[in-house]
Amino acid sequence: ALDSRTIERGERRQQLHTKGLWLAKNQPCSVSEAKTSVSGVIGSTMKKIAAKVRISRPKFLSFAIKNKQPATTPMAKAMSATAFHVIVSADHKKSAKKSSTAPDSINTGVCVVAKEVNGNIISYRELHRKM
């Protein structure tokens, strides 16, 4: 005889599977392949952001957003990201440990994630390493 928990688990799995299929069909997803190049405006803006957060020798990674269903309203078009850019230090493997006496002028534990909409970076977030 089947336990009631077994039946509930089966129903829950079916609900999750259906929800996953719906999300895969309707939600945008980021392409896992990096973009080959960025425009000059985006590149210069990313360099300015890297200098602002004191990232020496920045390394840039860019990811395009693939929308399965294009936005139909003007507001939705204005809000949907077309790409994300990540800025990290090329020296991240040489980053200083907590107990070292690294100079304060170099930020070794930070990366930046920037959101691009229609060819312009509209926002970015600094992410700091826990010490």
Side-chain angles (χ1 to χ4, degrees), residues 35 38-49 60 62 85 87 114-122:
K35 289 173 62 174
V38 294
S39 70
V41 174
I42 296 293
S44 65
T45 303
M46 289 170 48
K47 287 178 186 175
K48 288 177 189 175
I49 293 170
F60 305 116
S62 298
H85 306 282
I87 307 168
K115 180 180 176 182
E116 175 189 339
V117 174
N118 298 326
N120 295 315
I121 292 181
I122 61 164

Side-chain angles (χ1 to χ4, degrees), residues 46-122:
M46 289 170 48
K47 287 178 186 175
K48 288 177 189 175
I49 293 170
K52 184 177 180 181
V53 297
R54 297 186 332 239
I55 295 178
S56 63
R57 294 184 48 217
K59 179 180 176 185
F60 305 116
L61 303 169
S62 298
F63 300 92
I65 301 297
K66 178 180 155 187
N67 290 318
K68 294 189 177 186
Q69 289 186 338
T72 55
T73 65
M75 183 64 132
K77 287 180 184 177
M79 297 301 288
S80 61
T82 54
F84 283 95
H85 306 282
V86 180
I87 307 168
V88 295
S89 174
D91 299 329
H92 68 280
K93 291 186 179 181
K94 300 177 188 176
S95 62
K97 294 184 180 178
K98 182 179 180 180
S99 61
S100 78
T101 57
D104 291 333
S105 62
I106 299 173
N107 201 339
T108 58
V110 67
C111 82
V112 176
V113 179
K115 180 180 176 182
E116 175 189 339
V117 174
N118 298 326
N120 295 315
I121 292 181
I122 61 164

Side-chain angles (χ1 to χ4, degrees), residues 27-33 63-67 84:
Q27 295 293 315
C29 60
S30 62
V31 176
S32 60
E33 295 177 16
F63 300 92
I65 301 297
K66 178 180 155 187
N67 290 318
F84 283 95

